[in-house]
Amino acid sequence: MTLTELIQRIQHSFGKGGSKDEAKSRLLLVLQDDRLGLTAEEKEALRQDILEAIRKHLKIDAEGFTMEFVSSPTDQNKMHVSAPVQVGRGPANFSK
Amino acid sequence: MSGRAIVVTSGKGGVGKTTATANIGLGLASQGKKVVLIDGDIGLRNLDLILGVENRVVYNIVDVVSGRCQPRQALVKDKRISSLFLMPASQIDEKDAINTDQMRDLSAQLKEEFDFVLIDCPAGIEQGFRNTVAAADEAIVVTTPDVSPVRDADRVIGLLQSSLGEPQLIINRMSMDMVKRGDMLDQQDVLDILAVRLLGIVPEDEAVVIAGNKGAPVVLNGGSPSGDAYGRIARRILGEDVPIPELNGHNSLAKRLGRILFGR
């Protein structure tokens, strides 16, 4: 038995690491979309609008910009936006 | 008297709606309640077969709403528990043979005489779903711990919330072995995803298949895990505080060690 196998077996014995974790995360993701009822185009438009809105005020790295919808038992239906802000020394980097 | 009309629904077909309706109905009736089950699946009649009363069906729900007979004439009385009745579906009519108002009126009429009107909803979210939901005051959603039924249950819960309010959930066909291995969503997983109140968990049980073969629902014979689960569900519906057994797949230490050393 390799160490990886042993770890997997320990995880399984606690009901973890099985295929249900994949089922749960896939469901949470797909249900977010189902519940929002937004088309792919509408989501992209929203993404662009938020990206532009932030860019008006801050220098951000568009590559690293992400927008995702998450659901958990405690906070249902939240939108998480992550924007890597490029901050230098001195005054804030306003692009205007 | 004004009884409670409860629709049993799921979105996805094949998750055990009809079996659940039959067992909950018998469970409530065996607690002394007067219960009528309405088979709302027009064109695909099955509740009579699950209950084992198929040979005694004369008239059906379409005959009643189209005035060919009185509701009383269509009701089939259960021979085992005399306070349980079935309003059978029609097997030959189209599924849109009844409209929402007719269904609502029938339910209201039956509520005058019965403590519980349990309505078995057809699969899907079309007219048959809308009719049975319109005729109900409360809803029970049945799902199995699989990805597509859970997704469809979520859709149905969304639709119900805008009409009947918060439904209650039954998780059917839970396999303890698979949950323990981490290969099946457990009750907490399903509740995390669907965020509704849990009415009960029915374990995977061969007895359900045998009961279907015989037309004698599991709740009638004590001792089967699924029959006992339905018995507890019926008591919860009656307002009793019956705890839901933890089926979250926690293994004993010895079992865990065994699995670690010798695999599954």
Side-chain angles (χ1 to χ4, degrees):
Chain A
M1 196 188 330
T2 65
L3 188 62
T4 331
E5 269 172 11
L6 180 69
I7 291 169
Q8 273 177 358
R9 285 188 179 183
I10 293 171
Q11 282 183 328
H12 274 134
S13 76
F14 283 88
K16 292 204 162 55
S19 57
K20 73 135 182 183
D21 295 338
E22 214 177 324
K24 190 173 181 179
S25 58
R26 288 175 61 219
L27 270 168
L28 285 171
L29 206 64
V30 79
L31 287 181
Q32 268 318 313
D33 275 4
D34 291 355
R35 288 169 184 168
L36 279 172
L38 288 179
T39 64
E41 292 80 42
E42 286 167 334
K43 261 170 96 178
E44 184 50 32
L46 177 61
R47 208 186 95 89
Q48 284 303 327
D49 283 353
I50 293 171
L51 185 60
E52 288 313 311
I54 299 173
R55 270 180 168 166
K56 271 190 206 162
H57 307 281
L58 291 169
K59 234 181 203 172
I60 59 164
D61 174 14
E63 288 289 298
F65 178 84
T66 58
M67 179 189 89
E68 58 177 15
F69 298 94
V70 287
S71 145
S72 77
T74 43
D75 45 51
Q76 285 266 305
N77 309 324
K78 273 195 177 173
M79 183 169 75
H80 285 181
V81 173
S82 170
V85 185
Q86 296 172 346
V87 188
R89 286 171 186 248
N93 289 340
F94 287 106
S95 57
K96 29 184 179 182
Chain B
M1 161 154 83
S2 185
R4 289 162 66 182
I6 307 175
V7 62
V8 180
T9 182
S10 69
K12 187 90 184 158
V15 298
K17 272 185 304 296
T18 305
T19 304
T21 309
N23 279 292
I24 294 169
L26 281 163
L28 290 169
S30 64
Q31 297 281 323
K33 297 295 166 188
K34 215 175 161 199
V35 181
V36 59
L37 309 180
I38 300 181
D39 190 343
D41 204 347
I42 315 296
L44 294 168
R45 176 162 96 200
N46 276 317
L47 193 46
D48 55 332
L49 208 50
I50 295 298
L51 277 175
V53 301
E54 68 278 10
N55 291 331
R56 294 193 289 122
V57 172
V58 182
Y59 294 107
N60 61 58
I61 190 168
V62 178
D63 295 323
V64 173
V65 299
S66 53
R68 287 194 288 268
C69 73
Q70 290 298 311
R72 197 177 297 274
Q73 292 173 281
L75 292 176
V76 182
K77 187 176 181 173
D78 190 90
K79 282 188 173 159
R80 296 153 299 204
I81 300 178
S82 60
S83 62
L84 183 86
F85 291 80
L86 169 71
M87 173 68 74
S90 158
Q91 179 70 346
I92 53 163
D93 289 283
E94 296 290 322
K95 55 184 178 184
D96 52 3
I98 296 183
N99 66 39
T100 307
D101 287 340
Q102 289 170 323
M103 197 72 179
R104 200 184 277 132
D105 290 348
L106 177 64
S107 170
Q109 211 177 329
L110 291 170
K111 276 200 288 184
E112 304 268 308
E113 268 191 63
F114 290 89
D115 298 309
F116 285 93
V117 179
L118 284 188
I119 311 166
D120 186 20
C121 175
I125 48 172
E126 295 88 21
Q127 192 60 45
F129 168 80
R130 288 195 290 269
N131 284 353
T132 51
V133 169
D137 311 307
E138 308 163 41
I140 294 172
V141 173
V142 182
T143 188
T144 59
D146 308 298
V147 288
S148 25
V150 170
R151 184 187 196 172
D152 291 358
D154 187 76
R155 176 93 169 97
V156 161
I157 290 165
L159 293 169
L160 289 169
Q161 279 167 338
S162 56
S163 50
L164 289 182
E166 203 69 33
Q168 298 194 71
L169 185 74
I170 291 177
I171 308 173
N172 193 19
R173 306 194 64 178
M174 187 82 102
S175 156
M176 290 320 117
D177 274 354
M178 293 194 73
V179 167
K180 282 176 182 166
R181 291 205 305 262
D183 278 328
M184 180 176 272
L185 296 169
D186 65 30
Q187 82 180 58
Q188 197 51 52
D189 294 323
V190 177
L191 293 179
D192 285 350
I193 296 165
L194 295 177
V196 280
R197 199 151 80 86
L198 185 64
L199 179 60
I201 295 182
V202 182
E204 171 81 65
D205 189 357
E206 287 182 3
V208 173
V209 178
I210 298 165
N213 292 343
K214 295 180 174 172
V218 283
V219 77
L220 289 170
N221 307 311
S224 73
S226 55
D228 292 349
Y230 280 118
R232 288 193 294 269
I233 287 170
R235 284 162 56 205
R236 281 182 207 118
I237 293 173
L238 291 171
E240 254 186 80
D241 186 16
V242 187
I244 297 175
E246 266 297 314
L247 300 175
N248 273 341
H250 295 301
N251 285 317
S252 69
L253 188 62
K255 270 197 173 169
R256 272 180 196 160
L257 271 174
R259 274 175 204 269
I260 293 166
L261 293 173
F262 309 112
R264 284 177 186 183

